[in-house]
Amino acid sequence: MHYLRHSTIDMELLATEMAISRATLYRMTGSRDALLGEVFWAIGRIFLAEASQEAAGTGADRVIAVSRLFAEMVAGAQQLRRFVAEEPQTAARVLLTNGTDVHHRAIEAQLEIFEESQVSGDPAEMRQRAFLYVRLMESVVYSPVLGVPEMDFDLAEPALRALLPR
């Protein structure tokens, strides 16, 4: 709720709102980046669940539909857009690196989407495909963090499809 109200996490203000010390908050969360990672993953998980429910069909078409819907939801998330604009380095660190679990969780979620969509293959190869798929989606969804103008999903779709086994 703090993030949704402020489009960021202010650890001092959050500690005050929770009536605990900053030291206790840091002990509980580990770091501001870790807490932001949990917040972003909670939002991302909700968006993925909604996109998965909304997407129809099976196979590559369903995978692409889920991805398109997810990208649209992220693009409409005003708090996230504001956070990325105001704290691009933190956003990159939290969303795109191994500093938090967001990227690893996204790969696991992508593997689940492949499975739900009946897209399958050798497990090790599917994990590599999921990694590449997620990296490409991150490029589309978080292009402002990467210092490029907003990326059009239609431009990325052929590359995304190429990562899916036939």
Side-chain angles (χ1 to χ4, degrees), residues 34-48:
L35 183 55
L36 283 164
E38 291 299 321
V39 167
F40 293 149
W41 181 246
I43 293 167
R45 194 175 62 235
I46 291 167
F47 288 171
L48 282 172

Side-chain angles (χ1 to χ4, degrees), residues 92-146:
R93 200 172 51 244
V94 171
L95 295 167
L96 305 174
T97 71
N98 291 332
T100 66
D101 288 336
V102 174
H103 179 71
H104 296 294
R105 288 174 172 173
I107 293 168
E108 295 303 319
Q110 191 60 54
L111 284 166
E112 288 177 24
I113 292 166
F114 287 168
E115 187 177 313
E116 291 168 1
S117 302
Q118 301 172 354
V119 171
S120 61
D122 173 69
E125 183 181 312
M126 292 307 293
R127 182 165 291 283
Q128 289 177 329
R129 288 175 186 265
F131 172 84
L132 292 169
Y133 195 96
V134 166
R135 277 296 185 211
L136 185 52
M137 278 299 296
E138 288 169 342
S139 297
V140 171
V141 173
Y142 304 122
S143 57
V145 170
L146 300 169

Side-chain angles (χ1 to χ4, degrees), residues 3-4 7 43 47 71-84:
Y3 171 79
L4 294 175
S7 300
I43 293 167
F47 288 171
E72 289 170 1
M73 289 177 199
V74 170
Q78 295 304 313
Q79 291 92 347
L80 180 59
R81 294 173 67 85
R82 182 172 164 203
F83 178 80
V84 166

